[in-house]
Amino acid sequence: MAYAQSVPTDCSMGAIPDEPLVLRVAGMPDQPLPAVRVDNGGTMQFSSDDSADVYQVLRLKMNDRAPDDVFDPVVEIATSFLVANGQSLGDKIFRKPAATGADISDTPVKVDEQVMWSVQIPIPGGQYGDYAVNLDHVFYVASARVEFAQQDGGKLAGRIHLCVPGNQTSPFNKVPSSQIEVVGSFSALVE
């Protein structure tokens, strides 16, 4: 069992370690994330005086349950990406530097691709919606790099490195957050 050490300052740079996908929370054993899927979160439209651009919201969800039990996850990490309507995540690299909070894509696509994220870990034995950890891109700083291979039928392989430094608070939660890292390779079922 490995325990989370300090997370890198900026996970958006450099190579992603080639290891099985895991969640690391400071002071806890690594939590494997075997159930990974991509689904469509709908569309968003951004308008200007001259035009309206439509983007597709594609979500990468990672759970700690086997693929046949994803409807009752204990742990769920979700990342969402905006891509030009009708495009897939295949052959794209997304980066979210921590320092600026800006989202960058290494692909030649001419759209504002963004990385949104959340980490939810329920309290063991608690009621639905009671979380020991509930962090997201709205109130917490993180850095990320997500690399997708070319889609192969109903599967999409890739790698992720998401780093959330500890000791952060939000307007709704004054308890300092734990340090979190999601890292490794995956093969996602495309729904």
Side-chain angles (χ1 to χ4, degrees):
M1 274 187 268
Y3 290 87
Q5 303 300 314
S6 65
V7 298
T9 304
D10 189 350
C11 289
S12 71
M13 303 301 291
I16 298 172
D18 190 17
E19 59 187 57
L21 183 62
V22 295
L23 166 67
R24 295 182 175 137
V25 179
M28 297 175 63
D30 285 4
Q31 178 70 51
L33 300 169
V36 183
R37 65 190 192 282
V38 173
D39 68 15
N40 188 334
T43 59
M44 295 179 77
Q45 182 171 338
F46 298 95
S47 300
S48 66
D49 293 340
D50 299 348
S51 66
D53 295 322
V54 178
Y55 297 92
Q56 189 172 354
V57 180
L58 297 174
R59 299 181 295 206
L60 175 68
K61 294 184 175 182
M62 298 154 275
N63 298 315
D64 67 336
R65 299 287 179 139
D68 60 342
D69 196 18
V70 299
F71 296 107
D72 187 26
V74 172
V75 173
E76 180 165 274
I77 292 88
T79 54
S80 298
F81 310 91
L82 295 180
V83 297
N85 200 26
Q87 290 194 2
S88 77
L89 294 171
D91 280 337
K92 289 186 174 47
I93 297 172
F94 296 87
R95 295 188 305 129
K96 181 176 188 62
T100 64
D103 298 310
I104 300 169
S105 171
D106 289 341
T107 60
V109 180
K110 297 176 182 174
V111 297
D112 282 329
E113 294 170 328
Q114 298 188 20
V115 179
M116 298 162 276
W117 60 273
S118 66
V119 176
Q120 295 180 324
I121 305 172
I123 296 172
Q127 299 292 320
Y128 179 79
D130 291 341
Y131 297 104
V133 174
N134 189 8
L135 308 176
D136 64 35
H137 67 277
V138 176
F139 296 112
Y140 296 89
V141 173
S143 62
R145 182 178 184 94
V146 186
E147 302 171 351
F148 293 99
Q150 191 170 48
Q151 186 169 331
D152 184 14
K155 292 283 189 175
L156 183 60
R159 296 184 299 174
I160 184 171
H161 199 182
L162 170 68
C163 298
V164 184
N167 296 315
Q168 298 185 65
T169 61
S170 79
F172 304 104
N173 186 355
K174 299 302 180 194
V175 176
S177 65
S178 295
Q179 172 181 289
I180 295 173
E181 183 176 25
V182 177
V183 63
S185 301
F186 58 83
S187 178
L189 174 65
V190 179
E191 297 178 342

